Amino acid sequence: MRAISGLWRWRHNPLCRATDLAEAWVALAGLLLILSVAPLVGARVGGAAQDAMQRSVRDQHESRHRVTATVVRALKRPPVTVDPDGASAGGLRSRVLADWTAPDGSRHEGSVVASIADPGPGDRFAIWTDGQGRTVARPLDSATATTHAVLAGFGAAVVAAALVEAGRRIVVWRMVRRRYARWEREWDRAGPDWGRTGAGS
């Protein structure tokens, strides 16, 4: 930012070097790229992620089915646990032996996690299965998919801004290195005569 403000201050300054102006112009170009390219990259990546996530949501809702399971008996191990998927429902989960009917009509029995704190035989609860009755995770919902897409777009914008800033720093670093190399050459030329001015030689 100091270099950009220097563009205005150094416009007619006799002490302004060409390299100072060049550095300020590079900083301005970097800022303009960050303000224009980074949001565009974020929007494109976020839009692509949104399309992919919503397709995934549709596919999961088509291939996963909510069925009702019946508790056969509670299982002692593991003890009552908190299920991450059920945290929003606000309940403890228990592992039980249950039976259910798959969407294709086949009967199944197995160990599942029930949304019941104190399950007993005959209690009913909902589970998610595929078409053949195998238990699967709850399908992704549209709001969660949108949140992931927004985060992906924001992350892409931050990465794009970081890349532009890294490029600006590399360009300025190379300019400073060239400036120092020129100074070294000038000192090498002036060095032998430095300090002998007016000595009559």
Side-chain angles (χ1 to χ4, degrees):
M1 280 301 186
R2 284 192 309 242
I4 294 172
S5 64
L7 276 174
W8 181 260
R9 286 187 292 108
W10 287 347
R11 285 178 313 142
H12 305 297
N13 191 329
L15 298 178
C16 177
R17 300 166 296 192
T19 55
D20 295 328
L21 279 178
E23 287 177 25
W25 280 113
V26 167
L28 179 61
L31 177 64
L32 292 177
L33 282 173
I34 287 173
L35 293 177
S36 59
V37 172
L40 180 62
V41 168
R44 293 295 295 271
V45 170
Q50 173 74 343
D51 292 343
M53 295 294 288
Q54 293 302 332
R55 273 196 305 274
S56 179
V57 167
R58 285 191 298 274
D59 292 343
Q60 287 184 14
H61 279 276
E62 288 173 6
S63 64
R64 299 180 186 186
H65 308 277
R66 186 181 173 99
V67 299
T68 300
T70 304
V71 175
V72 175
R73 63 183 166 84
L75 298 177
K76 297 301 179 189
R77 277 180 251 156
V80 176
T81 57
V82 176
D83 182 10
D85 286 338
S88 61
L92 292 174
R93 301 293 178 110
S94 304
R95 187 160 290 281
V96 299
L97 181 66
D99 60 22
W100 63 92
T101 303
D104 64 1
S106 60
R107 300 275 303 167
H108 296 268
E109 183 174 285
S111 171
V112 295
V113 175
S115 55
I116 306 170
D118 187 20
D123 289 343
R124 298 165 70 83
F125 61 97
I127 62 171
W128 290 91
T129 70
D130 62 11
Q132 289 73 45
R134 293 184 295 263
T135 57
V136 293
R138 178 184 310 178
L140 187 66
D141 62 271
S142 183
T144 303
T146 299
T147 301
H148 288 304
V150 169
L151 290 174
F154 180 75
V158 169
V159 169
L163 288 175
V164 169
E165 176 61 13
R168 183 197 69 80
R169 287 176 182 263
I170 289 171
V171 169
V172 170
W173 175 74
R174 290 177 63 100
M175 292 170 68
V176 170
R177 290 275 307 252
R178 273 199 298 261
R179 182 194 309 156
Y180 287 160
R182 280 198 304 271
W183 285 355
E184 288 291 334
R185 287 194 298 272
E186 293 296 327
W187 275 111
D188 287 343
R189 278 202 298 269
D193 296 328
W194 195 90
R196 292 193 292 175
T197 303
S201 56

